[in-house]
Amino acid sequence: MMPPTRLAGILIPAMAFLSCLRPESWDPCVRVVPHITYQCMELNLYKIPNNIPTSVKKLDLSFNPLRRLSSHIFSNFSELQVLDLSRCEIEMIEDDAYEGLNHLSTLVLTGNPIQSLAMGAFSGLSSLQTLVAVEINLVSLEDFPIGHLKTLKELNVAHNLIDSFKLPEYFSNLSDLEHLDLSNNKIQTICHKDLQVLHQMPPSKLSLDLSLNPLDFIQRGAFKEIKLHELTLRSNFNSTDVMKTCVQGLAGLKINRLVLGEFKNERAIKHFDKSAMEGLCNLTIDEFRMTYFDDFSEDVINFFNCLANVSTISLVGLYLNRLEVLSKDFKWQHLKLTNSKFDHFPRLELDSLKKLVFTANRGMSTFTEVKLPKLEFLDLSRNSLSFKSCCSRTFWGTTRLKHLDLSFNDVITMSSNSLGLEQLKYLDFQHSNLKQASDFSVFLSLKNLLYLDISYTRIRIIFHGIFDGLFSLEVLKMAGNSFQDNSVPNIFKALTNLTFLDLSNCQLERVSQAAFGSLVKLKSLNMSHNHLLSLDLFPYKLPHSLQDLDCSFNRIVASNRQELQHFPSNLTSLNLTGNDFACICEHQSFLQWVKDHRHLLVGVTQMVCVKPLDMQGVPVLSFRNATCPMSKTVISVSVLTVLVVSVVAVLVYKFYFHLMLLAGCKKYGRGESTYDAFVIYSSQDEDWVRNELVKNLEEGVPPFQLCLHYRDFIPGVAIAANIIQEGFHKSRKVIVVVSQHFIQSRWCIFEYGIAQTWQFLSSRAGIIFIVLQKVEKSLLRQQVELYRLLSRNTYLEWEDSVLGRHIFWRRLRKALLDGKLWSPEGAADAESSQHEATITI
Ligand SMILES: *[C@@H]1O[C@H](CO)[C@@H](O)[C@H](O)[C@H]1NC(C)=O
Ligand SMILES: *[C@@H]1O[C@H](CO)[C@@H](O)[C@H](O)[C@H]1NC(C)=O
Ligand SMILES: *[C@@H]1O[C@H](CO)[C@@H](O)[C@H](O)[C@H]1NC(C)=O
Ligand SMILES: *[C@@H]1O[C@H](CO)[C@@H](O)[C@H](O)[C@H]1NC(C)=O
Ligand SMILES: *[C@@H]1O[C@H](CO)[C@@H](O)[C@H](O)[C@H]1NC(C)=O
Ligand SMILES: *[C@@H]1O[C@H](CO)[C@@H](O)[C@H](O)[C@H]1NC(C)=O
Ligand SMILES: *[C@@H]1O[C@H](CO)[C@@H](O)[C@H](O)[C@H]1NC(C)=O
Ligand SMILES: *[C@@H]1O[C@H](CO)[C@@H](O)[C@H](O)[C@H]1NC(C)=O
Ligand SMILES: *[C@@H]1O[C@H](CO)[C@@H](O)[C@H](O)[C@H]1NC(C)=O
Ligand SMILES: *[C@@H]1O[C@H](CO)[C@@H](O)[C@H](O)[C@H]1NC(C)=O
């Protein structure tokens, strides 16, 4: 247990610290755009936070209990353009509260229970264009102090307690006003005097919304000679009688757009009677809209007759079931019929109609031909209609069609090659069931078509000429269809202007080589949700103009290096998510490619491994190749290297001395020799060498200098090095003393081998053989080389007889003299000898 004094010692400073923290010092507002846009919504602020910079242009203070706006409260924020004070529990706005906000263009005061609004509350605000004062307990427009806001364009005072439509005098100051929303107030009557001020205003662009006011009376002539842009009266009348009186009250009004009707969820008139609309004959209307009236099923002839001169008609959510009554002479140019209920497709014959939008209507099954000779735009989508024969001129009775939308319908049977629709630019069949589309060139005449959507139309593409004739086509969407053999054949050859092609969801397994060859302008290709196993589209089949390629959700396991090297140079986005990547060493070059091209790959972090099991769900990027064995080429190269190195080493080892000789030859060249001869012999014959050879040669005339290892080799130097440096390199000749012992000694044979190399390298005829005693032939044969030489060449044989020995010495001296630099006295003697003693190899 902590002693109370210590506890207090901790708590008191902590509380002191917390009490210093006021909400505004917490930096609570969200900086959406630094210095410009701040969002302080619902932070329980009771005043404007200190840390909002004075440069702020958009400030959202909604849902804070500000309660009261005192004078000059915003004066520090003179740059403000948009100020949102929705639901700030504001009850009082003092004079000059917005003073200084000369740039403010939008002020939102929605949902504040204002009780006290000073006469100067909105002073300043010299640029205000939009004032939203919805739900602020406003009782009357008369008392609303906005007469000086000459720049005001939109005033929204919906959902208040206003019960009079009297537009105050000051409206004549609001010459820019375009929208006045008075919907959902308490207005019941509209009298002539209420609109007096509109006569003083310039020819009006004003749109007036009076929806959801419980209107029961409009004085006849109240709108006489008044021009409005738009008047909306929805859910205003609780019976057709009231509606009839009020519509008659509109007589004389000139208006661009009149909107009558109810809301989908606010229906008051249960039984709509056509007589309610009779008064429309006394109005001049350009565009007429009617929404959501139930029970419209009766004869509507009179009603439409009053609208004969309207150019645009829009009928939404009416329970219309017939339209045959329409006269050919009606001036309608645009007709929109949506969400209605028809028994059968209306037999339309209108000479002036250019645009028909007939969508989301229920109750019909079959399309019947229409006669609309000027029609350019036809939208028949979402009607569950079936079309028995599509699509030619007779079908629509026009050749001017530019836009045709038959999407989301039932069966459409293609029966002609679109003759007569040459003007068509846009054609949409998506999610309808196209029959016979792959039997012949159904689009052959559409040489101006830019956009074609046949997605999900259940076509099985067999005929290769299906897109013939579409020379201008830029966008082709054909997702959700199928191909023969699940392979894209060469069907796009006419589409040289195509930039966008969607082939997703087509169960594709392959793409034929030439398929994309003619699409030289293609920018975007979608192949997602197919069954492709590899990216073999890449190597040469894709146009270089391609920028976006979507191959997501296929079955691509990996790709090989060649395929990846040649992908289009302009590609900026490649989607490979949702494939079956195998994160195994076999594919490490592909996985490395993924890492190297992450800037190109969309959602690269979502590319996950599917195989092997222990890597399932792991991002491809986290594959590490460290555990991978090296590749076969690396292995074979290294094995080869090791082999070569060891062979070289063995050779160097074996021919080390020969190499030393070689090096020595370079070094010593053909310079002066120290010795006349280097003697190679077996140690068993050393006695003979000392007593006979040395005595006779070194002490005779002329004296020869012999190199003998027991005498001349430098101690401390390796014997092999001595043999080469002292023996061979410094001697002119080599005397080989062949004997039984010599042949049996491996050392001697080795020395002899070096001697042969030396002779070869120094290209001297320098080896003199002395055979000391008769050597057995069989023994000699073991030394093949020596045997060959001795049997082919002359050699000196050591004789037992005195005469023999005399001849022996003479011949030896002569051989040694060969190449000696000075000319000694005994030379003539030696020259007379007839025997050549040197042996040349
Ligand atoms: C305006 O800013 C000054 C200095 O920052 C401050 O002293 C003053 O209280 C601010 N005025 C208002 C109305 O907030
Ligand atoms: C209308 O504007 C004039 C000056 O243009 C001004 O004198 C008058 O007070 C304004 N009316 C109202 C109601 O503010
Ligand atoms: C229509 O509204 C008036 C008053 O606004 C009311 O007296 C009358 O009963 C209403 N009629 C219907 C049919 O609701
Ligand atoms: C059109 O207005 C005239 C007079 O303004 C009136 O006599 C006539 O009944 C009105 N027609 C309809 C259909 O309300
Ligand atoms: C339509 O206009 C013609 C002539 O422009 C006129 O004769 C006819 O009365 C008008 N119809 C209606 C219903 O306004
Ligand atoms: C293809 O497009 C180009 C430019 O976008 C256009 O000039 C050309 O006429 C088009 N080709 C065809 C056959 O429409
Ligand atoms: C490709 O098609 C699929 C499915 O049809 C779609 O979800 C995806 O957004 C398309 N990709 C692109 C790049 O439009
Ligand atoms: C690649 O893009 C550039 C610039 O967007 C364009 O000029 C070039 O023609 C494109 N290359 C191909 C082959 O379309
Ligand atoms: C693939 O990425 C592109 C580009 O972000 C995107 O538009 C497309 O919808 C993605 N494809 C799928 C099937 O989500
Ligand atoms: C792993 O990838 C890097 C980068 O390409 C490469 O240098 C390295 O040799 C690879 N390691 C193995 C074991 O293949």
Side-chain angles (χ1 to χ4, degrees), residues 465-717:
I466 177 170
F467 297 123
D468 282 2
L470 296 170
F471 301 116
S472 305
L473 202 67
E474 290 173 2
V475 177
L476 176 56
K477 298 184 178 177
M478 51 187 302
N481 292 296
S482 65
F483 289 86
Q484 196 177 27
D485 301 329
N486 295 331
S487 165
V488 185
N490 185 12
I491 50 174
F492 304 119
K493 43 193 182 297
L495 312 184
T496 48
N497 261 7
L498 204 69
T499 57
F500 182 100
L501 178 58
D502 185 353
L503 280 168
S504 59
N505 258 314
C506 288
Q507 300 158 39
L508 288 173
E509 287 166 9
R510 282 174 305 280
V511 176
S512 90
Q513 272 204 18
F516 301 130
S518 43
L519 305 180
V520 290
K521 290 189 182 172
L522 196 68
K523 288 205 173 78
S524 176
L525 175 60
N526 193 344
M527 303 283 296
S528 82
H529 295 273
N530 280 300
H531 303 331
L532 300 175
L533 292 171
S534 77
L535 279 175
D536 58 4
L537 308 163
F538 267 151
Y540 36 86
K541 298 168 202 163
L542 285 182
H544 283 285
S545 51
L546 201 67
Q547 291 172 357
D548 304 319
L549 177 60
D550 192 344
C551 283
S552 54
F553 297 96
N554 277 278
R555 296 178 183 165
I556 299 168
V557 173
S559 192
N560 66 42
R561 204 85 201 177
Q562 287 150 294
E563 290 165 3
L564 299 171
Q565 262 161 14
H566 300 97
F567 67 87
S569 50
N570 271 10
L571 206 65
T572 52
S573 153
L574 173 59
N575 195 338
L576 288 178
T577 53
N579 279 291
D580 296 344
F581 296 114
C583 298
I584 52 177
C585 291
E586 192 188 326
H587 302 313
Q588 60 172 302
S589 68
F590 170 71
L591 299 168
Q592 186 61 42
W593 182 90
V594 168
K595 285 181 198 171
D596 296 345
H597 291 79
R598 59 174 80 191
H599 60 281
L600 201 69
L601 293 160
V602 177
V604 70
T605 48
Q606 282 121 273
M607 290 171 60
V608 292
C609 309
V610 173
K611 278 178 271 182
L613 273 181
D614 59 319
M615 291 282 282
Q616 213 162 38
V618 175
V620 168
L621 281 182
S622 47
F623 176 82
R624 296 277 170 270
N625 69 354
T627 51
C628 291
M630 284 206 256
S631 72
K632 277 179 191 157
T633 45
V634 173
I635 291 175
S636 36
V637 164
S638 24
V639 166
L640 206 67
T641 316
V642 168
L643 268 177
V644 166
V645 166
S646 31
V647 164
V648 166
V650 165
L651 288 176
V652 165
Y653 176 75
K654 185 146 189 219
F655 295 101
Y656 172 71
F657 297 109
H658 306 265
L659 287 172
M660 270 177 74
L661 267 182
L662 182 62
C665 283
K666 290 258 160 65
K667 192 165 148 198
Y668 295 101
R670 291 187 158 253
E672 197 100 2
S673 300
T674 317
Y675 305 108
D676 291 305
F678 172 50
V679 187
I680 302 174
Y681 59 95
S682 160
S683 55
Q684 303 278 343
D685 301 322
E686 190 164 315
D687 279 347
W688 180 83
V689 171
R690 280 176 193 253
N691 297 330
E692 297 289 342
L693 200 64
V694 173
K695 273 212 174 89
N696 275 290
L697 292 180
E698 293 201 340
E699 290 160 20
V701 178
F704 293 101
Q705 184 66 40
L706 296 181
C707 174
L708 297 167
H709 61 75
Y710 68 86
R711 186 184 67 193
D712 299 318
F713 279 9
I714 302 161
V717 175

Side-chain angles (χ1 to χ4, degrees), residues 121-323:
F122 297 111
S123 64
L125 298 180
S126 54
S127 304
L128 198 68
Q129 295 187 352
T130 304
L131 177 57
V132 182
V134 173
E135 215 186 321
I136 61 161
N137 288 345
L138 194 63
V139 178
S140 143
L141 282 177
E142 201 75 53
D143 302 333
F144 203 42
I146 56 169
H148 61 289
L149 301 177
K150 295 183 180 172
T151 51
L152 207 60
K153 283 189 172 161
E154 181 177 347
L155 176 60
N156 189 342
V157 286
H159 214 292
N160 278 300
L161 307 168
I162 301 167
D163 58 4
S164 162
F165 185 54
K166 169 104 180 72
L167 297 179
E169 281 296 313
Y170 65 76
F171 266 71
S172 57
N173 278 4
L174 311 182
S175 53
D176 286 340
L177 198 65
E178 288 173 4
H179 291 274
L180 174 57
D181 192 342
L182 274 164
S183 61
N184 212 345
N185 276 287
K186 306 282 179 213
I187 300 168
Q188 285 182 302
T189 58
I190 296 177
C191 303
H192 185 263
K193 63 171 173 30
D194 293 344
L195 291 160
Q196 204 57 45
V197 68
L198 289 183
H199 290 287
Q200 297 157 25
M201 288 174 72
S204 192
K205 332 168 259 218
L206 189 65
S207 298
L208 195 57
D209 192 345
L210 288 170
S211 305
L212 292 165
N213 281 287
L215 288 180
D216 52 26
F217 179 70
I218 297 180
Q219 192 182 22
R220 233 176 233 231
F223 285 90
K224 202 169 182 215
E225 282 165 23
I226 284 180
K227 285 183 187 165
L228 285 179
H229 179 70
E230 182 173 328
L231 176 62
T232 308
L233 296 169
R234 294 176 74 177
S235 294
N236 290 101
F237 317 111
N238 65 0
S239 74
T240 36
D241 285 342
V242 175
M243 183 168 176
K244 184 175 174 180
T245 341
C246 289
V247 169
Q248 279 172 348
L250 296 177
L253 177 65
K254 284 194 170 157
I255 191 162
N256 277 353
R257 186 186 296 139
L258 179 63
V259 185
L260 288 180
E262 300 195 319
F263 292 98
K264 207 171 183 176
N265 52 356
E266 296 262 353
R267 305 288 183 92
I269 300 178
K270 292 288 172 256
H271 301 285
F272 183 75
D273 178 24
K274 60 184 165 45
S275 67
M277 305 302 237
E278 279 165 12
L280 290 179
C281 282
N282 274 350
L283 271 66
T284 310
I285 305 169
D286 201 31
E287 178 178 344
F288 180 78
R289 293 190 187 179
M290 184 172 260
T291 59
Y292 297 105
F293 273 129
D294 286 328
D295 250 353
F296 215 86
S297 49
E298 285 175 50
D299 185 11
V300 287
I301 183 158
N302 296 341
F303 156 51
F304 282 124
N305 279 347
C306 277
L307 296 168
N309 290 346
V310 167
S311 77
T312 302
I313 290 244
S314 161
L315 305 171
V316 177
L318 306 185
Y319 277 72
L320 280 175
N321 49 19
R322 306 170 57 205
L323 268 181

Side-chain angles (χ1 to χ4, degrees), residues 827-840:
D829 176 40
E831 262 164 31
S832 63
S833 165
Q834 283 159 15
H835 300 281
E836 185 53 63
T838 44
I839 294 157
T840 316

